[in-house]
Amino acid sequence: MTDYPGSPTERLADELFLIAHDDYSGKLLAAANLVDAALSGALLAELLFDGRITLAQSSVYVADNRPWQEPVTDRVLAEMVRRGNGHPARSWVEFLASRARDHIGDRLVSAGAVQRVTGRGLSLRMTVRFPGLDPNRVARPRVRLNAVLERSDRPLDPRTATLAGLVRAAGLIRALLSTNRSMVAERIAAGRRLLPTELADLLNAVDAAVAATTLTLRR
């Protein structure tokens, strides 16, 4: 794989996970409920890009139930097979959100990209951080996405537009390197308008899940 800013070197959910965490402290850079919903959407997007699921009228259908020996998405797909077709994408986003960060974090720990650090803060609540082990590797998704978003001479490809839409849903635009956030937001919106229906529907499902969890927390 060619290693340059426009070429991803991680799976989509892994890229989002690394963007969502500080490279050195491993702390989340946005609210956990937003990141978790976006990460579960990223797992669904991986399955869509791999042709293992389809979306029809915003509902999820299994297209290829064979395991790919990729533990995280294999686990998600097995759960979809068990529960049956036709459930709304938003329901899957909400269902997967509680464990998505742990599963993706474990995948990156196994890959040697980050380490898992647990502890207790002043509140005595258990906290989990994922500091990077390779500074270049953990920074690369943020650098890559920022470089692509700052190039206004070409439209975003579907994968990058999906990642960018998930970054926005997670409240992570401020975690990017660009100082021109309004331009970045416009590029993300433009890329989203060009997405195929399945991917656009998935991002809409993530947005709906984010809105619902945010409303619940405010009550």
Side-chain angles (χ1 to χ4, degrees):
M1 179 178 293
T2 303
D3 185 12
Y4 67 100
S7 177
T9 57
E10 307 283 353
R11 293 185 67 86
L12 189 144
D14 294 352
E15 283 200 294
L16 181 61
F17 183 100
L18 293 174
I19 292 170
H21 290 79
D22 182 85
D23 298 347
Y24 298 98
S25 70
K27 293 181 179 179
L28 275 177
L29 297 174
N33 62 304
L34 305 185
V35 173
D36 290 345
L39 286 171
S40 60
L43 289 176
L44 295 176
E46 286 191 15
L47 290 169
L48 271 174
F49 281 113
D50 288 342
R52 303 174 76 186
I53 64 171
T54 61
L55 259 65
Q57 297 182 331
S58 301
S59 294
V60 177
Y61 296 84
V62 174
D64 180 355
N65 63 7
R66 296 171 298 176
W68 281 23
Q69 309 307 314
E70 197 297 293
V72 178
T73 50
D74 280 355
R75 184 184 296 116
V76 173
L77 196 69
E79 190 67 27
M80 289 178 170
V81 171
R82 188 172 75 84
R83 293 179 180 270
N85 287 322
H87 296 288
R90 174 180 165 180
S91 296
W92 278 113
V93 170
E94 293 171 340
F95 178 78
L96 297 171
S98 64
R99 298 301 304 277
R101 187 157 25 114
D102 280 338
H103 292 326
I104 299 164
D106 288 343
R107 185 163 73 181
L108 284 164
V109 168
S110 297
V114 301
Q115 61 180 321
R116 178 188 289 267
V117 177
T118 59
R120 294 187 185 275
L122 293 177
S123 66
L124 299 183
R125 293 180 60 184
M126 182 66 69
T127 61
V128 181
R129 298 183 291 111
F130 291 92
L133 294 174
D134 179 346
N136 291 327
R137 181 173 181 180
V138 297
R140 189 176 294 124
R142 185 178 294 109
V143 172
R144 184 192 79 82
L145 182 59
N146 194 75
V148 174
L149 289 174
E150 288 192 336
R151 292 192 61 175
S152 59
D153 59 329
R154 63 177 67 178
L156 302 181
D157 65 87
R159 185 189 186 282
T160 301
T162 301
L163 174 62
L166 292 168
V167 164
R168 187 200 64 79
L172 287 166
I173 289 181
R174 64 182 180 273
L176 299 178
L177 304 174
S178 177
T179 57
N180 190 345
R181 292 177 185 169
S182 61
M183 180 271 291
V184 166
E186 290 172 4
R187 284 275 284 157
I188 292 174
R192 182 165 178 164
R193 287 193 292 270
L194 297 175
L195 281 175
T197 300
E198 285 184 304
L199 294 170
D201 286 349
L202 176 59
L203 290 182
N204 288 338
V206 172
D207 285 345
V210 164
T213 188
T214 301
L215 180 61
T216 300
L217 291 174
R218 287 177 178 173
R219 287 177 176 171

